[in-house]
């Protein structure tokens, strides 16, 4: 009950902060409206096309991970396309460290009678971890540009530190996976134990099955490390394509044709979304991206229009389509 109240308080706090920000910049609203009204349909089409390639790369990441762990391979691309889109939607709708999307792959595996659920889970967890590696590469590139330009703000430093702490915890889990299955089980349950203490509730028994499946996935990659290279490449491409969607959105509304600025804004906004408390980074992504664009001289109203178009592409459209596919996947007989 207490955790639910904390979530409600966080939503209200973020909503109040966004409302205050909009009110403080209300004189920019007409400019944002004009930018959206006059958006270039050709560049909107480019953004939509890049979005499709972005989704395809998510599918390729998952099939590459499944090939490494023995759960499947590239021949499953068409079959896993709707499953992957449903998984993306679940991860956008629930703040779970990208674990919510596993439900879509589990439902699909049960629906087609797959017996080795462990390999499916291991492949998904391997893909999720690889996606984080891909973002680290993109973040490093974006921060390098920011530091070179001398535009590193305090909020970006704080967000980077928080993300680094989370990343360090995952690195510890990876090292534990290499060393010992038992050590990994203890590390895996540590965040839950801390949360129980913070919320002052009775400690709950933690299921070690997910930790074991993750251990098996890492063991498979460790045995043949070169086989993970395609998955890493697809993961990096996902974030580069995300930055390309933001770039197309910027050009469409007249926010400039600067790919490096789009890369910086994408990296900063994704970073804010990760450390933000709401699912999908709602509020945090928008503020982070708009602030990054404004720091490069883009008017606030036009920045807001570009970010709105960008979020429609990479958040609202995948969430709506994936939600329908997730419902269909859940309703299908299995």
């Amino acid at each position: 009950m207490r955790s639910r109240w904390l979530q409600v308080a966080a939503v209200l706090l973020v909503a109040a902060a966004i409302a205050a920000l909009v009110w403080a910049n209300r004189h920019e609203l007409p400019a944002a409206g004009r930018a959206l009204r006059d958006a270039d349909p050709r560049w909107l089409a480019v953004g939509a096309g890049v979005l499709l390639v972005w989704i395809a790369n998510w599918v390729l990441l998952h099939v590459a991970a499944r090939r490494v762990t023995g759960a499947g391979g590239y021949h499953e691309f068409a079959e896993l396309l709707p499953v992957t889109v449903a998984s993306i939607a679940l991860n956008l709708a629930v703040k779970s460290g990208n674990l919510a999307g596993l439900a879509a792959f589990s439902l699909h595996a049960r629906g087609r009678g797959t017996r080795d659920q462990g390999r499916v889970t291991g492949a998904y967890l391997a893909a999720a971890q690889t996606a984080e590696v891909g973002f680290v590469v993109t973040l490093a590139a974006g921060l390098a540009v920011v530091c070179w330009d001398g535009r590193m703000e305090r909020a970006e430093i704080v967000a980077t530190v928080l993300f680094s702490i989370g990343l360090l915890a995952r690195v510890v889990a990876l090292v534990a996976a290499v060393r010992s299955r038992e050590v990994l089980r203890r590390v895996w349950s540590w965040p839950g134990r801390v949360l129980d203490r913070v919320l002052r509730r009775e400690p709950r028994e933690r299921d070690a099955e997910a930790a074991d499946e993750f251990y098996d996935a890492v063991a498979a990659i460790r045995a043949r490390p070169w086989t993970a290279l395609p998955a890493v490449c697809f993961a990096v491409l996902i974030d580069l394509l995300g930055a390309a969607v933001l770039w197309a959105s910027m050009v469409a509304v007249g926010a400039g044709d600067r790919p490096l600025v789009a890369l910086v804004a994408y990296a900063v906004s994704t970073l804010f979304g990760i450390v933000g408390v709401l699912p999908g980074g709602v509020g945090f992504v928008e503020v982070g991206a708009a602030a990054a664009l404004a720091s490069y001289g883009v008017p606030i109203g036009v920045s807001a229009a570009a970010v709105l178009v960008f979020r429609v592409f990479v958040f609202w459209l995948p969430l709506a389509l994936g939600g329908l596919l997730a419902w269909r996947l859940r309703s299908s007989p299995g």
Side-chain angles (χ1 to χ4, degrees):
M1 179 63 71
R2 180 174 297 182
S3 62
R4 180 173 296 180
W5 279 110
L6 288 174
Q7 291 174 354
V8 171
V11 171
L12 293 176
L13 183 62
V14 172
I18 294 174
L21 186 63
V22 171
W23 177 256
N25 294 280
R26 60 190 181 278
H27 59 283
E28 295 286 349
L29 292 178
R34 287 193 299 271
L36 290 172
R37 182 193 63 198
D38 300 332
D40 190 335
R42 295 170 299 179
W43 280 100
L44 293 177
V46 170
V50 177
L51 176 65
L52 294 176
V53 181
W54 177 80
I55 292 174
N57 265 268
W58 271 111
V59 183
L60 289 170
L61 170 61
H62 282 288
V63 296
R66 290 164 72 92
R67 185 171 184 271
V68 172
T69 60
Y74 294 104
H75 62 280
E76 298 178 300
F77 181 93
E79 182 181 355
L80 291 182
L81 176 58
V83 181
T84 302
V85 177
S87 175
I88 292 171
L90 291 172
N91 286 328
L92 290 174
V94 181
K95 190 76 175 178
S96 63
N98 288 333
L99 291 179
L102 174 59
F105 283 89
S106 297
L107 285 171
H108 171 259
R110 287 199 294 269
R112 70 176 188 176
T114 301
R115 294 183 178 179
D116 198 347
Q117 185 71 37
R119 287 182 183 270
V120 173
T121 303
Y124 178 85
L125 294 173
Q129 294 297 320
T130 306
E132 291 197 1
V133 172
F135 174 65
V136 169
V137 174
T138 305
L139 177 63
L143 291 180
V145 175
V146 171
C147 293
W148 180 266
D149 291 342
R151 299 175 186 268
M152 193 72 163
E153 302 291 339
R154 183 177 300 176
E156 292 160 1
I157 295 174
V158 171
T160 302
V161 170
L162 292 175
F163 173 75
S164 299
I165 292 172
L167 179 64
L168 180 61
R170 287 172 170 79
V171 170
V172 170
L174 285 172
V175 173
V178 173
R179 291 180 57 193
S180 164
R181 186 186 295 269
E182 191 58 39
V183 171
L184 176 61
R185 287 176 176 176
R186 292 199 297 270
V187 172
W188 195 273
S189 63
W190 179 77
R193 297 198 304 270
V194 171
L195 185 61
D196 289 338
R197 237 180 235 187
V198 170
L199 298 179
R200 296 181 180 180
R201 64 189 182 192
E202 289 296 323
R204 293 182 294 178
E205 193 69 28
R206 307 290 169 180
D207 187 6
E209 184 179 355
D212 290 337
E213 290 164 344
F214 182 59
Y215 179 90
D216 294 335
V218 172
I221 295 174
R222 190 172 69 245
R224 298 180 298 165
W226 62 89
T227 60
L229 183 59
V232 173
C233 292
F234 292 136
V236 173
L237 275 174
I238 285 170
D239 285 300
L240 293 180
L241 288 165
V245 173
L246 178 54
W247 171 64
S249 302
M250 290 169 56
V251 180
V253 301
D257 182 7
R258 293 180 287 178
L260 284 181
V261 173
L263 176 64
V264 170
Y266 174 83
V268 170
S269 67
T270 306
L271 182 61
F272 274 62
I274 291 172
V275 301
V277 296
L278 298 184
V282 172
F284 294 86
V285 171
E286 289 80 359
V287 171
L293 293 178
S295 72
Y296 279 90
V298 180
I300 293 178
V302 181
S303 298
V307 173
L308 180 59
V309 173
F310 168 67
R311 288 293 275 171
V312 167
F313 278 134
V314 300
F315 181 78
W316 295 109
L317 286 177
L319 182 63
L321 178 59
L324 291 173
L325 292 171
W327 175 81
R328 181 180 178 183
L329 193 63
R330 183 178 180 181
S331 302
S332 61

